[in-house]
Amino acid sequence: MTTFIVFYDVNDEDVAAMGQRRARELNAQAIGIRDAPHLKSELERLKKEGAKADRFLFYAHGDPGGVHFGSSVLTAGRIASEFSGQGFETVFLPGARVFFPSCDLGAVKAGCESVAQACYLTDNGLVFLIKFAEVFLSRGGRVGATDTTGFGFFPSLFGSTVYHLNYASETTYALASPGGRVRLASGAEIDDIGGTSWKVDVGATSRTYEFRTDGSVARFDESDSSAWSWAPPSQEGPGGRWRLERDSLEISWPDGSAESWERPLYTGFQTGAARARGQTRSLYASKRPGAAVW
């Protein structure tokens, strides 16, 4: 059974090369896409064949709220009108992870933030992610995209390796529960001279974590994001313990609650990684099984 599918735009030679190479590295099924109708027909084929996967990558150029397959653009409105109600969610296993390493897809074009604007459903990355989750991930899962540069070739530096750039960007995920409820989460890991902290936004809640060399951690709730003023540490205090791996961060608090954070852009999904002071990496939040709600 296929567990990883890579879709890629066949209209761009470099993008096609990236998608095919990444599929080989991941031992994934690679599917070239000409345009949005072709994507729909491929999903229909996969559904008919009973194919199911829990990892998906879409290699294609993007802009705020839109994924380009040649001159065809996939937007939230198009997903709603052409892909909804077709049963495509059966191709996406419960808990599926989907990522679009497309430039600017997760951003919102200036002037398109309000539902009163005509471009709200077409040039709004958050609306795109929510609609994708609603239509394709109704059994649970997540889909993400960044608000800046997504991927590129740097042959003079890395030979034929695909290099993924996520400098100074923030990744937003639409998280779908098994019941189909969708919410947004985003975050960034920030390294600076003052130490290491992680800033995470889940829905309307924004928190920053400070990690100390003795293994303790302090959590701060943001009281005024515009002024960057911070409330005192939360009631758990700085006594929590943390464990940082290459692709995850686990936090345990004295009250028994636990948090799990993933950094998917440089692990599993992507090829190569650049680590530089001041660089931002993406985070994804989830609650560990059996842990208290935080």
Side-chain angles (χ1 to χ4, degrees):
M1 180 180 68
T2 298
T3 59
F4 212 132
I5 295 177
V6 175
F7 293 101
Y8 64 89
D9 179 14
V10 300
N11 301 283
D12 186 297
E13 182 178 350
D14 286 345
V15 173
M18 289 185 209
Q20 293 167 358
R21 181 178 293 111
R22 194 64 183 119
R24 290 194 297 270
E25 293 171 347
L26 296 168
N27 193 29
Q29 179 180 357
I31 302 177
I33 300 298
R34 297 186 303 272
D35 50 28
H38 186 210
L39 174 61
K40 182 178 181 180
S41 66
E42 286 296 323
L43 288 171
E44 289 172 341
R45 177 183 64 81
L46 291 169
K47 183 184 72 170
K48 184 177 181 180
E49 294 174 354
K52 301 178 187 301
D54 57 5
R55 299 290 186 274
F56 296 82
L57 267 173
F58 288 77
Y59 277 90
H61 288 295
D63 51 32
V67 180
H68 294 253
F69 296 102
S71 59
S72 178
V73 185
L74 183 68
T75 64
R78 192 160 195 170
I79 291 174
S81 64
E82 300 178 22
F83 293 80
S84 181
Q86 305 299 310
F88 294 142
E89 68 276 5
T90 61
V91 179
F92 297 75
L93 286 170
R97 302 181 183 183
V98 183
F99 194 78
F100 289 84
S102 304
C103 297
D104 304 315
L105 176 61
V108 181
K109 186 176 179 180
C112 298
E113 300 89 350
S114 170
V115 294
Q117 301 296 325
C119 57
Y120 179 78
L121 293 178
T122 56
D123 298 321
N124 188 323
L126 307 185
V127 172
F128 176 91
L129 293 171
I130 291 172
K131 183 54 62 177
F132 188 98
E134 289 175 345
V135 172
F136 298 106
L137 304 175
S138 60
R139 300 191 296 171
R142 72 180 193 251
V143 54
T146 65
D147 60 1
T148 57
T149 303
F151 57 81
F153 266 127
F154 293 85
S156 62
L157 296 177
F158 302 99
S160 60
T161 300
V162 179
Y163 179 76
H164 300 263
L165 184 64
N166 187 36
Y167 182 75
S169 64
E170 183 171 83
T171 294
T172 297
Y173 280 87
L175 313 178
S177 69
R181 184 176 68 90
V182 178
R183 62 188 176 94
L184 294 171
S186 62
E189 176 191 358
I190 305 169
D191 273 1
D192 55 35
I193 297 175
T196 300
S197 63
W198 292 48
K199 180 178 181 295
V200 180
D201 299 314
V202 180
T205 302
S206 181
R207 289 177 175 151
T208 291
Y209 301 82
E210 177 183 325
F211 301 99
R212 302 168 183 174
T213 56
D214 65 358
S216 63
V217 56
R219 186 179 76 188
F220 297 84
D221 292 324
E222 186 174 341
S223 60
D224 184 352
S225 60
S226 62
W228 287 91
S229 61
W230 304 99
S234 60
Q235 62 181 1
E236 291 89 349
R241 305 293 295 178
W242 58 276
R243 179 181 178 87
L244 179 64
E245 301 291 351
R246 186 176 69 92
D247 60 351
S248 65
L249 169 71
E250 305 289 334
I251 306 174
S252 298
W253 295 103
D255 68 352
S257 63
E259 299 171 37
S260 177
W261 304 91
E262 296 181 40
R263 300 181 293 171
L265 282 184
Y266 288 87
T267 55
F269 283 121
Q270 309 292 34
T271 302
R275 187 63 173 134
R277 184 167 296 279
Q279 183 168 343
T280 300
R281 292 189 178 183
S282 299
L283 305 179
Y284 161 71
S286 65
K287 183 170 71 68
R288 290 216 302 267
V293 177
W294 56 275

